[in-house]
Amino acid sequence: MNAPIVIEMEGVAVVSPRNPELPLLEPVDWRVEEGECWVVAGLHGSGKTSLLHTAAGLQTVPRGQLRVFGEPVPLAAGEALTQLRRRVGVVFEGEGRLFPTLTVLENVVLPLRYHLDMSLAAAAAEVAPLMAEFHLDRLASFFPGRIGQVWTRRVALARALALRPTLLLLDNQMEGLDPTHLRWWRDFLGALHRGHAWLHGQPQTLVITTDDLRPLLNVGDHFALSAGHQWRIIGDRAEVLASTQRDVRELLGESE
Amino acid sequence: MSAVRQFRLVIAAVRGLTAFTLITFGTLYTKVGRSQQVIRPLVHDQVYRAGVKLLPIVCFLGLALGMVLVGQIVSMLQQVGAEKFTGQLLVTVVIRELAPLVAGLVVLARVGTASVIELGTARALGEIEALEALGIDPIHYLVVPRVIGFTVAVSGLTVYFLLLALASGYAFAFVRGLPLSLEEYFNHIAAALTLADFPLLAIKTALFGAMTGLVICYQGLAQPLRLEDIGGATTRTVAMCVVGCLCLDALFVPIYLLV
C-alpha cells in the first residue's frame, strides 16, 4: 500500500517572490510521500527557496496544481490555511528569520503559546527536551542577535518543530557549518527521518534544499535538482553518485 | 509629478487603508479572546509604551501649554470684561480640540514613527512570512495590539493633558493676580461643558488613536518593503496621520455645533 501523499505538484510554475511574472522553475511535477526525505539541490538563484515557500503555501501558484496533504492550498487566509501551516514546519535560509525582540526560548515556544494558548512556563516545560537536545537551554534567555548564526539555525529548527509538524522544510541550513555542527545536523535529521522521540517515533517527512550535495548524501533517500529553470528528479543516492550530468557533478564538488 | 497622478496616489492610499482597516476589525472580531497568553501581554506592552512612558512629556506639554495658552486666554478675557466666555472658550479650545490633537501627535512622534521602522524592518527581513509559516496571523499578532494600545494611550493621555493644562492655566492667571477664584474658574468650565462632551471626547480620542495605529501598521506592513523604502514609509505615515487627525477633527465640528 502506498503511503499518503504529502506534497503533490503537477505542472506547477514556481515564480520569483518579487516578480510573480518571472518563473524560476516550470513545470514542476513532484510527489512527496509521507516518511520520505527529499534533498533538492541547486545553485544560488535556482529557485529552491521559492519551491519550498510554494510548498509551504507562502507563495501563490500562478499555473499548475499544488496539493498539500491531499488538499489544494487555500488561497485566502483563514482557518483552513492556519491548520495547514500548523502541519508544515519551515526553517528559513540563513539565520532562520527569528524574531529579534523575543529571546531564544520565546522564539521557540511562540507557536505553541499562540495556537494552544499556553503560558510561557508551561510551553517552556513542553519544549525542554528539545532545548536540551539542541544545547539551547543555556542560551534560552539570550536574544537572537547575541548568539552566533550556527545557534540561531538550531533555534529556527526548534521553533519549526515546536508544533510537531508532519512535514518539515529546511532551506539550505548546512551551508557554511563547521564539521562539528554539520555532524550534529546530519545526525539529528537522520534521527528525525527514522522517527524521533519528539515526534513520538513517527518518521518525519523532510524536504531539504542545499547547494552542496555531499553532506546530505547519507541523509536523503530521494534527490532532485533545480537548475536552469528546469526541475529534474535524479533518484536515490546510488543514482546521484552514478550521475554523469554536469550540474550534479558540480553539486558534488567536482570541478571540470 | 502631475496633479492627476498625485490625486490617484491619494485615492489608492485611502482605498488601501480602508481595506486594511476592515481586515483589522474583522480579525479583531473573529479572534477576540483567542491566544490571550500571547496577545494580552502585547497589548499591555503597547499601552505601556505609547501611554505610560509618554506621561512625563504629555504632563510637561499640559503644564507648558496651559500656562501659555489658557493663562493668556483667561487674562485677556478678564481684561476686556468678557470673563463669562472663559468656560466656553476653554472647553472649545482645550478640551475639544487641543488635548486630543496634542496627545495624538505626541504618540505619533514618539512611538508611531519608531513602530513604522520596526514593522517595515520586520517586513523587509521576511519576519512576516516567518509568522505566516507558523500559522500566526500577522494582523492579529502585530496590528491588533498596536491599534488597541494606541487607542487606550491617546484617550488616557488626553485626560492627563487637559487636566494639567486647565490647572496650570489657572495657576498662571492666579500668579498674575487676576480676580478669579478657583471655584469661579471651574464653575465657568463646568457650565460650558455638556453631557455630550464626555462621550464625544472619548470617541474622538479613540478614533485618533485607532487611526494612528492603523496608518502605522498599514505603512509598515501592508506593502512589500525593502530596507531602503522604510524612510519614505515613515514620512508618509506622519503626513497621513496628521491629515487624518485633522479630517477627523473636521468631522466633529458640525457635531459640536449641534450639541
Side-chain angles (χ1 to χ4, degrees):
Chain A
M1 198 176 81
N2 286 342
I5 296 167
V6 177
I7 304 172
E8 191 171 19
M9 293 188 182
E10 285 175 22
V12 163
V14 173
V15 294
S16 159
R18 288 198 181 84
N19 182 6
E21 303 297 313
L22 179 69
L24 298 173
L25 288 172
E26 188 176 14
V28 179
D29 295 298
W30 186 29
R31 274 161 66 116
V32 177
E33 291 182 5
E34 199 169 278
E36 288 182 344
C37 177
W38 279 80
V39 175
V40 177
L43 298 175
H44 282 287
S46 62
K48 306 185 299 289
T49 298
S50 294
L51 177 80
L52 281 198
H53 289 194
T54 304
L58 295 170
Q59 270 186 225
T60 52
V61 179
R63 289 180 293 282
Q65 293 226 322
L66 166 66
R67 281 182 290 276
V68 181
F69 304 117
E71 301 284 338
V73 177
L75 292 173
E79 202 51 42
L81 190 59
T82 303
Q83 292 308 320
L84 171 83
R85 284 176 173 160
R86 284 180 63 171
R87 297 180 67 189
V88 181
V90 183
V91 185
F92 291 93
E93 193 173 16
E95 296 189 6
R97 300 192 190 178
L98 299 178
F99 306 116
T101 55
L102 303 182
T103 63
V104 164
L105 177 65
E106 287 166 343
N107 263 284
V108 174
V109 298
L110 179 65
L112 276 175
R113 297 189 67 207
Y114 184 83
H115 291 292
L116 307 178
D117 207 11
M118 294 170 89
S119 67
L120 181 62
E126 174 78 15
V127 299
L130 212 53
M131 295 287 282
E133 185 170 355
F134 283 34
H135 306 291
L136 292 175
D137 34 8
R138 65 198 168 86
L139 301 173
S141 60
F142 284 73
F143 286 95
R146 304 294 300 272
I147 61 175
Q149 205 193 81
V150 289
W151 297 105
T152 60
R153 292 182 190 191
R154 290 196 194 188
V155 179
L157 178 61
R159 186 179 69 178
L161 284 170
L163 285 170
R164 296 186 170 88
T166 312
L167 167 66
L168 184 64
L169 310 170
L170 295 110
D171 195 4
N172 211 12
Q173 289 299 312
M174 307 292 201
E175 187 186 30
L177 290 177
D178 65 37
T180 311
H181 285 278
L182 199 59
R183 188 164 54 250
W184 183 89
W185 275 82
R186 269 202 308 244
D187 292 348
F188 185 77
L189 293 178
L192 265 186
H193 183 38
R194 287 189 299 276
H196 191 273
W198 176 252
L199 300 169
H200 311 300
Q202 197 73 17
Q204 174 86 76
T205 311
L206 287 157
V207 178
I208 309 166
T209 64
T210 185
D211 50 19
D212 184 356
L213 276 167
R214 289 168 297 178
L216 290 163
L217 280 173
N218 292 323
V219 177
D221 47 25
H222 296 77
F223 293 82
L225 184 73
S226 69
H229 301 286
Q230 297 291 315
W231 169 255
R232 274 180 277 160
I233 290 171
I234 309 169
D236 60 15
R237 180 174 179 267
E239 286 169 286
V240 172
L241 291 172
S243 173
T244 53
Q245 292 177 44
R246 193 167 150 265
D247 297 329
V248 178
R249 303 312 314 171
E250 205 170 41
L251 290 162
L252 284 168
E254 292 176 13
S255 53
E256 286 181 73
Chain B
M1 193 187 291
S2 73
V4 176
R5 188 167 143 71
Q6 188 93 30
F7 181 71
R8 279 189 186 147
L9 284 175
V10 171
I11 295 294
V14 171
R15 276 173 54 189
L17 183 61
T18 308
F20 188 76
T21 303
L22 292 174
I23 292 168
T24 302
F25 283 109
T27 305
L28 195 58
Y29 176 71
T30 54
K31 296 196 170 156
V32 66
R34 280 173 64 173
S35 312
Q36 283 303 298
Q37 292 282 347
V38 174
I39 302 301
R40 200 181 297 138
L42 291 174
V43 172
H44 187 270
D45 284 352
Q46 292 300 326
V47 172
Y48 178 74
R49 188 181 176 207
V52 180
K53 277 182 87 175
L54 296 190
L55 213 46
I57 180 88
V58 166
C59 289
F60 170 76
L61 287 173
L63 288 169
L65 284 174
M67 282 190 197
V68 172
L69 204 70
V70 182
Q72 285 194 69
I73 288 172
V74 174
S75 302
M76 284 162 77
L77 289 174
Q78 288 279 331
Q79 280 167 18
V80 297
E83 58 269 25
K84 64 176 179 178
F85 295 111
T86 306
Q88 193 61 50
L89 213 55
L90 291 184
V91 166
T92 306
V93 173
V94 178
I95 298 177
R96 291 178 180 172
E97 300 300 332
L98 193 64
L101 208 56
V102 168
L105 292 181
V106 167
V107 169
L108 170 66
R110 289 292 301 271
V111 184
T113 47
S115 287
V116 186
I117 294 167
E118 276 167 25
L119 294 174
T121 308
R123 173 89 208 220
L125 296 179
E127 287 165 30
I128 309 305
E129 281 97 336
L131 281 176
E132 287 174 341
L134 295 168
I136 297 173
D137 181 353
I139 300 281
H140 190 208
Y141 184 76
L142 295 171
V143 180
V144 167
R146 281 178 170 78
V147 172
I148 296 174
F150 282 30
T151 304
V152 174
V154 174
S155 303
L157 291 175
T158 301
V159 175
Y160 282 98
F161 175 87
L162 68 87
L163 290 177
L164 281 165
L166 293 175
S168 71
Y170 178 77
F172 181 80
F174 181 77
V175 168
R176 291 199 59 190
L178 293 179
L180 181 69
S181 72
L182 187 63
E183 194 183 349
E184 278 176 310
Y185 175 73
F186 280 108
N187 277 344
H188 280 307
I189 295 170
L193 275 172
T194 65
L195 205 58
D197 272 310
F198 295 96
L200 281 174
L201 185 67
I203 294 169
K204 190 175 185 178
T205 53
L207 284 176
F208 276 19
M211 191 213 56
T212 307
L214 283 164
V215 170
I216 286 162
C217 296
Y218 172 70
Q219 290 292 350
L221 289 178
Q223 48 230 320
L225 283 178
R226 293 164 301 169
L227 282 173
E228 57 268 34
D229 299 330
I230 295 169
T234 310
T235 49
R236 276 197 303 278
T237 303
V238 173
M240 232 170 149
C241 281
V242 171
V243 172
C245 281
L246 293 175
C247 289
L248 280 174
D249 216 11
L251 287 177
F252 275 83
V253 172
I255 300 170
Y256 280 131
L257 289 175
L258 284 173
V259 296

Short mmCIF file of all heavy atoms in Angstrom, two decimals, chain A residues 6-7 9 30-33 35-41 48 51-53 55-56 88-91 166-173 189 192-193 204-210 216 219-222 224 231:
data_model
loop_
_atom_site.label_atom_id
_atom_site.label_comp_id
_atom_site.label_asym_id
_atom_site.label_seq_id
_atom_site.Cartn_x
_atom_site.Cartn_y
_atom_site.Cartn_z
N VAL A 6 2.10 13.69 0.65
CA VAL A 6 2.20 14.92 1.45
C VAL A 6 2.20 16.15 0.53
O VAL A 6 1.44 17.08 0.72
CB VAL A 6 3.46 14.88 2.34
CG1 VAL A 6 3.61 16.17 3.12
CG2 VAL A 6 3.39 13.70 3.30
N ILE A 7 3.09 16.13 -0.47
CA ILE A 7 3.12 17.24 -1.44
C ILE A 7 2.89 16.66 -2.83
O ILE A 7 3.51 15.64 -3.19
CB ILE A 7 4.49 17.97 -1.45
CG1 ILE A 7 4.86 18.50 -0.06
CG2 ILE A 7 4.49 19.12 -2.46
CD1 ILE A 7 6.28 19.06 0.01
N MET A 9 2.72 18.14 -6.81
CA MET A 9 2.75 19.26 -7.75
C MET A 9 2.60 18.71 -9.16
O MET A 9 3.27 17.74 -9.53
CB MET A 9 4.07 20.03 -7.65
CG MET A 9 4.27 20.76 -6.35
SD MET A 9 5.74 21.81 -6.43
CE MET A 9 5.77 22.49 -4.77
N TRP A 30 5.98 16.67 -9.09
CA TRP A 30 6.70 16.14 -7.93
C TRP A 30 5.69 15.56 -6.95
O TRP A 30 4.64 16.16 -6.71
CB TRP A 30 7.45 17.32 -7.30
CG TRP A 30 8.37 17.03 -6.16
CD1 TRP A 30 9.06 15.88 -5.95
CD2 TRP A 30 8.72 17.92 -5.10
NE1 TRP A 30 9.82 16.00 -4.82
CE2 TRP A 30 9.63 17.24 -4.28
CE3 TRP A 30 8.36 19.21 -4.77
CZ2 TRP A 30 10.19 17.82 -3.14
CZ3 TRP A 30 8.91 19.79 -3.64
CH2 TRP A 30 9.81 19.12 -2.84
N ARG A 31 6.03 14.41 -6.41
CA ARG A 31 5.19 13.81 -5.36
C ARG A 31 6.07 13.43 -4.18
O ARG A 31 7.06 12.73 -4.34
CB ARG A 31 4.54 12.53 -5.88
CG ARG A 31 3.23 12.76 -6.63
CD ARG A 31 2.92 11.55 -7.47
NE ARG A 31 2.65 10.40 -6.61
CZ ARG A 31 1.47 9.80 -6.57
NH1 ARG A 31 0.47 10.24 -7.29
NH2 ARG A 31 1.28 8.75 -5.81
N VAL A 32 5.71 13.90 -3.03
CA VAL A 32 6.44 13.54 -1.80
C VAL A 32 5.49 12.73 -0.94
O VAL A 32 4.40 13.19 -0.61
CB VAL A 32 6.89 14.81 -1.03
CG1 VAL A 32 7.57 14.43 0.28
CG2 VAL A 32 7.81 15.67 -1.89
N GLU A 33 5.91 11.51 -0.63
CA GLU A 33 5.07 10.65 0.20
C GLU A 33 5.49 10.77 1.66
O GLU A 33 6.63 11.13 1.97
CB GLU A 33 5.17 9.20 -0.27
CG GLU A 33 4.53 9.01 -1.63
CD GLU A 33 4.57 7.58 -2.12
OE1 GLU A 33 5.01 6.69 -1.35
OE2 GLU A 33 4.14 7.34 -3.26
N GLY A 35 6.91 10.22 5.14
CA GLY A 35 8.08 9.50 5.64
C GLY A 35 9.29 9.59 4.73
O GLY A 35 10.36 9.08 5.08
N GLU A 36 9.15 10.23 3.58
CA GLU A 36 10.29 10.36 2.67
C GLU A 36 11.18 11.54 3.07
O GLU A 36 10.71 12.49 3.70
CB GLU A 36 9.81 10.58 1.23
CG GLU A 36 9.19 9.35 0.61
CD GLU A 36 8.75 9.58 -0.84
OE1 GLU A 36 8.65 10.74 -1.27
OE2 GLU A 36 8.50 8.59 -1.52
N CYS A 37 12.44 11.44 2.67
CA CYS A 37 13.36 12.57 2.87
C CYS A 37 13.93 12.97 1.52
O CYS A 37 14.70 12.23 0.92
CB CYS A 37 14.47 12.17 3.83
SG CYS A 37 15.67 13.49 4.06
N TRP A 38 13.52 14.13 1.06
CA TRP A 38 13.97 14.63 -0.24
C TRP A 38 15.06 15.69 -0.05
O TRP A 38 14.95 16.54 0.83
CB TRP A 38 12.80 15.29 -0.98
CG TRP A 38 11.91 14.30 -1.66
CD1 TRP A 38 10.94 13.55 -1.09
CD2 TRP A 38 11.93 13.96 -3.05
NE1 TRP A 38 10.34 12.76 -2.03
CE2 TRP A 38 10.92 12.99 -3.24
CE3 TRP A 38 12.69 14.37 -4.15
CZ2 TRP A 38 10.65 12.42 -4.50
CZ3 TRP A 38 12.42 13.82 -5.39
CH2 TRP A 38 11.43 12.86 -5.55
N VAL A 39 16.06 15.58 -0.90
CA VAL A 39 17.09 16.63 -0.94
C VAL A 39 16.98 17.30 -2.30
O VAL A 39 17.07 16.64 -3.34
CB VAL A 39 18.50 16.04 -0.74
CG1 VAL A 39 19.56 17.11 -0.91
CG2 VAL A 39 18.62 15.40 0.64
N VAL A 40 16.73 18.61 -2.28
CA VAL A 40 16.61 19.38 -3.53
C VAL A 40 17.87 20.22 -3.66
O VAL A 40 18.13 21.10 -2.83
CB VAL A 40 15.36 20.29 -3.51
CG1 VAL A 40 15.29 21.12 -4.78
CG2 VAL A 40 14.10 19.45 -3.34
N ALA A 41 18.65 19.92 -4.68
CA ALA A 41 19.93 20.61 -4.84
C ALA A 41 19.86 21.62 -5.98
O ALA A 41 19.11 21.45 -6.94
CB ALA A 41 21.03 19.59 -5.13
N LYS A 48 15.23 27.20 -5.43
CA LYS A 48 14.99 26.23 -4.33
C LYS A 48 14.13 26.85 -3.23
O LYS A 48 13.18 26.23 -2.75
CB LYS A 48 16.33 25.80 -3.69
CG LYS A 48 17.36 25.26 -4.64
CD LYS A 48 18.56 24.75 -3.89
CE LYS A 48 19.29 25.79 -3.07
NZ LYS A 48 20.04 26.79 -3.83
N LEU A 51 10.64 27.29 -4.26
CA LEU A 51 9.96 25.99 -4.30
C LEU A 51 9.46 25.62 -2.90
O LEU A 51 8.31 25.19 -2.73
CB LEU A 51 10.94 24.92 -4.81
CG LEU A 51 10.37 23.51 -4.85
CD1 LEU A 51 9.51 23.30 -6.08
CD2 LEU A 51 11.48 22.46 -4.81
N LEU A 52 10.32 25.81 -1.89
CA LEU A 52 9.93 25.49 -0.51
C LEU A 52 8.78 26.39 -0.06
O LEU A 52 7.83 25.93 0.56
CB LEU A 52 11.10 25.69 0.46
CG LEU A 52 12.17 24.61 0.56
CD1 LEU A 52 12.96 24.78 1.84
CD2 LEU A 52 11.59 23.22 0.51
N HIS A 53 8.90 27.69 -0.38
CA HIS A 53 7.85 28.62 0.03
C HIS A 53 6.52 28.29 -0.66
O HIS A 53 5.45 28.44 -0.07
CB HIS A 53 8.26 30.07 -0.28
CG HIS A 53 9.36 30.55 0.61
ND1 HIS A 53 9.71 31.88 0.71
CD2 HIS A 53 10.19 29.90 1.45
CE1 HIS A 53 10.71 32.00 1.58
NE2 HIS A 53 11.01 30.81 2.02
N ALA A 55 5.62 25.23 -1.59
CA ALA A 55 5.11 24.02 -0.94
C ALA A 55 4.50 24.33 0.42
O ALA A 55 3.57 23.66 0.87
CB ALA A 55 6.24 23.00 -0.79
N ALA A 56 5.04 25.38 1.09
CA ALA A 56 4.54 25.75 2.42
C ALA A 56 3.30 26.64 2.34
O ALA A 56 2.76 27.03 3.37
CB ALA A 56 5.64 26.47 3.20
N VAL A 88 2.97 22.10 8.78
CA VAL A 88 4.19 22.26 7.97
C VAL A 88 5.18 23.13 8.74
O VAL A 88 4.87 24.27 9.09
CB VAL A 88 3.87 22.92 6.61
CG1 VAL A 88 5.13 23.05 5.77
CG2 VAL A 88 2.81 22.14 5.85
N GLY A 89 6.36 22.60 9.02
CA GLY A 89 7.40 23.39 9.67
C GLY A 89 8.36 23.93 8.62
O GLY A 89 8.73 23.20 7.70
N VAL A 90 8.72 25.19 8.73
CA VAL A 90 9.65 25.79 7.76
C VAL A 90 10.85 26.35 8.52
O VAL A 90 10.68 27.10 9.48
CB VAL A 90 8.98 26.94 6.96
CG1 VAL A 90 9.94 27.49 5.91
CG2 VAL A 90 7.69 26.48 6.31
N VAL A 91 12.05 25.98 8.07
CA VAL A 91 13.27 26.59 8.61
C VAL A 91 13.85 27.44 7.48
O VAL A 91 14.31 26.91 6.48
CB VAL A 91 14.29 25.52 9.07
CG1 VAL A 91 15.48 26.20 9.74
CG2 VAL A 91 13.64 24.52 10.02
N THR A 166 3.94 17.60 10.50
CA THR A 166 4.01 16.36 9.72
C THR A 166 5.09 16.48 8.65
O THR A 166 5.74 15.50 8.30
CB THR A 166 2.65 16.12 9.03
OG1 THR A 166 1.62 16.29 10.02
CG2 THR A 166 2.54 14.76 8.42
N LEU A 167 5.25 17.70 8.13
CA LEU A 167 6.21 17.94 7.06
C LEU A 167 7.18 19.04 7.51
O LEU A 167 6.75 20.06 8.04
CB LEU A 167 5.45 18.41 5.80
CG LEU A 167 6.24 19.02 4.65
CD1 LEU A 167 7.15 17.96 4.02
CD2 LEU A 167 5.30 19.58 3.59
N LEU A 168 8.47 18.79 7.32
CA LEU A 168 9.47 19.79 7.70
C LEU A 168 10.27 20.21 6.46
O LEU A 168 10.81 19.35 5.75
CB LEU A 168 10.41 19.23 8.77
CG LEU A 168 11.46 20.18 9.33
CD1 LEU A 168 10.81 21.34 10.07
CD2 LEU A 168 12.41 19.45 10.28
N LEU A 169 10.31 21.51 6.21
CA LEU A 169 11.03 22.06 5.05
C LEU A 169 12.23 22.84 5.55
O LEU A 169 12.06 23.77 6.35
CB LEU A 169 10.11 22.98 4.24
CG LEU A 169 8.74 22.42 3.85
CD1 LEU A 169 7.85 23.51 3.27
CD2 LEU A 169 8.88 21.29 2.85
N LEU A 170 13.42 22.47 5.11
CA LEU A 170 14.64 23.16 5.56
C LEU A 170 15.34 23.79 4.38
O LEU A 170 15.64 23.11 3.40
CB LEU A 170 15.60 22.17 6.23
CG LEU A 170 15.10 21.53 7.52
CD1 LEU A 170 14.81 20.08 7.28
CD2 LEU A 170 16.13 21.69 8.61
N ASP A 171 15.62 25.08 4.50
CA ASP A 171 16.20 25.80 3.38
C ASP A 171 17.70 26.03 3.60
O ASP A 171 18.09 26.94 4.34
CB ASP A 171 15.47 27.14 3.19
CG ASP A 171 15.78 27.77 1.84
OD1 ASP A 171 16.50 27.12 1.06
OD2 ASP A 171 15.30 28.88 1.59
N ASN A 172 18.49 25.20 2.98
CA ASN A 172 19.95 25.37 2.91
C ASN A 172 20.59 25.62 4.28
O ASN A 172 21.41 26.53 4.44
CB ASN A 172 20.26 26.55 1.98
CG ASN A 172 21.59 26.36 1.27
OD1 ASN A 172 22.17 25.27 1.30
ND2 ASN A 172 22.08 27.40 0.64
N GLN A 173 20.24 24.80 5.25
CA GLN A 173 20.75 25.01 6.61
C GLN A 173 22.17 24.49 6.82
O GLN A 173 22.81 24.80 7.81
CB GLN A 173 19.81 24.35 7.63
CG GLN A 173 18.49 25.07 7.76
CD GLN A 173 18.67 26.49 8.26
OE1 GLN A 173 19.37 26.75 9.22
NE2 GLN A 173 18.07 27.45 7.57
N LEU A 189 18.87 15.17 11.78
CA LEU A 189 17.92 14.99 10.67
C LEU A 189 17.72 13.51 10.38
O LEU A 189 16.59 13.07 10.08
CB LEU A 189 18.40 15.73 9.42
CG LEU A 189 18.41 17.27 9.53
CD1 LEU A 189 18.94 17.90 8.24
CD2 LEU A 189 17.02 17.82 9.84
N LEU A 192 15.40 12.26 13.00
CA LEU A 192 14.02 12.72 12.71
C LEU A 192 13.40 11.85 11.62
O LEU A 192 12.24 11.45 11.73
CB LEU A 192 14.07 14.16 12.17
CG LEU A 192 13.87 15.34 13.10
CD1 LEU A 192 13.81 16.62 12.27
CD2 LEU A 192 12.62 15.21 13.94
N HIS A 193 14.18 11.57 10.61
CA HIS A 193 13.70 10.80 9.47
C HIS A 193 13.36 9.36 9.88
O HIS A 193 12.39 8.77 9.39
CB HIS A 193 14.76 10.83 8.37
CG HIS A 193 14.36 10.14 7.12
ND1 HIS A 193 13.08 10.19 6.62
CD2 HIS A 193 15.06 9.34 6.26
CE1 HIS A 193 13.01 9.48 5.51
NE2 HIS A 193 14.20 8.95 5.29
N GLN A 204 9.67 11.50 10.24
CA GLN A 204 9.36 12.85 9.75
C GLN A 204 9.52 12.92 8.24
O GLN A 204 10.51 12.42 7.69
CB GLN A 204 10.32 13.85 10.40
CG GLN A 204 10.23 15.25 9.90
CD GLN A 204 9.16 16.06 10.61
OE1 GLN A 204 9.32 16.47 11.72
NE2 GLN A 204 8.05 16.25 9.93
N THR A 205 8.57 13.52 7.56
CA THR A 205 8.73 13.79 6.13
C THR A 205 9.56 15.06 6.00
O THR A 205 9.24 16.08 6.62
CB THR A 205 7.35 14.01 5.47
OG1 THR A 205 6.49 12.94 5.85
CG2 THR A 205 7.47 14.09 3.97
N LEU A 206 10.63 14.96 5.22
CA LEU A 206 11.57 16.08 5.15
C LEU A 206 11.82 16.50 3.70
O LEU A 206 11.91 15.65 2.82
CB LEU A 206 12.93 15.66 5.73
CG LEU A 206 13.04 15.50 7.24
CD1 LEU A 206 14.20 14.59 7.58
CD2 LEU A 206 13.28 16.87 7.88
N VAL A 207 11.93 17.79 3.49
CA VAL A 207 12.45 18.31 2.22
C VAL A 207 13.57 19.28 2.58
O VAL A 207 13.35 20.24 3.33
CB VAL A 207 11.36 19.04 1.39
CG1 VAL A 207 11.97 19.61 0.12
CG2 VAL A 207 10.21 18.11 1.06
N ILE A 208 14.76 19.00 2.09
CA ILE A 208 15.93 19.80 2.46
C ILE A 208 16.53 20.36 1.18
O ILE A 208 16.82 19.60 0.25
CB ILE A 208 16.99 18.93 3.17
CG1 ILE A 208 16.34 18.15 4.33
CG2 ILE A 208 18.16 19.76 3.66
CD1 ILE A 208 17.22 17.03 4.87
N THR A 209 16.72 21.66 1.12
CA THR A 209 17.41 22.22 -0.05
C THR A 209 18.88 22.43 0.30
O THR A 209 19.24 22.63 1.47
CB THR A 209 16.81 23.57 -0.49
OG1 THR A 209 17.02 24.51 0.53
CG2 THR A 209 15.34 23.45 -0.81
N THR A 210 19.70 22.39 -0.72
CA THR A 210 21.14 22.55 -0.50
C THR A 210 21.84 23.01 -1.77
O THR A 210 21.33 22.79 -2.88
CB THR A 210 21.76 21.23 -0.01
OG1 THR A 210 23.13 21.44 0.30
CG2 THR A 210 21.64 20.12 -1.05
N LEU A 216 24.68 15.74 2.52
CA LEU A 216 23.32 15.18 2.66
C LEU A 216 23.15 13.84 1.94
O LEU A 216 22.05 13.29 1.91
CB LEU A 216 22.30 16.19 2.14
CG LEU A 216 22.15 17.43 3.03
CD1 LEU A 216 21.45 18.55 2.30
CD2 LEU A 216 21.37 17.07 4.29
N VAL A 219 21.79 11.37 4.20
CA VAL A 219 20.56 11.76 4.92
C VAL A 219 19.34 11.52 4.02
O VAL A 219 18.35 10.92 4.44
CB VAL A 219 20.63 13.25 5.34
CG1 VAL A 219 19.33 13.68 6.01
CG2 VAL A 219 21.80 13.48 6.28
N GLY A 220 19.41 12.00 2.78
CA GLY A 220 18.24 11.92 1.88
C GLY A 220 18.06 10.54 1.29
O GLY A 220 19.01 9.78 1.15
N ASP A 221 16.79 10.22 0.96
CA ASP A 221 16.57 8.99 0.22
C ASP A 221 16.05 9.25 -1.19
O ASP A 221 15.96 8.35 -2.00
CB ASP A 221 15.66 8.02 0.99
CG ASP A 221 14.42 8.68 1.57
OD1 ASP A 221 14.01 9.71 1.03
OD2 ASP A 221 13.88 8.16 2.56
N HIS A 222 15.71 10.52 -1.48
CA HIS A 222 15.33 10.91 -2.83
C HIS A 222 16.04 12.24 -3.13
O HIS A 222 16.10 13.10 -2.26
CB HIS A 222 13.82 11.13 -2.97
CG HIS A 222 13.03 9.88 -2.74
ND1 HIS A 222 12.78 9.37 -1.50
CD2 HIS A 222 12.42 9.04 -3.63
CE1 HIS A 222 12.05 8.27 -1.61
NE2 HIS A 222 11.83 8.05 -2.89
N ALA A 224 16.59 15.56 -5.98
CA ALA A 224 16.09 16.27 -7.16
C ALA A 224 16.99 17.48 -7.40
O ALA A 224 17.76 17.89 -6.52
CB ALA A 224 14.65 16.72 -6.95
N TRP A 231 13.24 21.50 -13.56
CA TRP A 231 13.11 20.64 -12.39
C TRP A 231 13.39 19.20 -12.82
O TRP A 231 12.78 18.70 -13.75
CB TRP A 231 11.68 20.75 -11.86
CG TRP A 231 11.30 19.74 -10.82
CD1 TRP A 231 10.51 18.65 -11.00
CD2 TRP A 231 11.70 19.72 -9.46
NE1 TRP A 231 10.38 17.95 -9.84
CE2 TRP A 231 11.10 18.59 -8.86
CE3 TRP A 231 12.51 20.54 -8.67
CZ2 TRP A 231 11.28 18.26 -7.52
CZ3 TRP A 231 12.68 20.21 -7.34
CH2 TRP A 231 12.08 19.09 -6.77
#
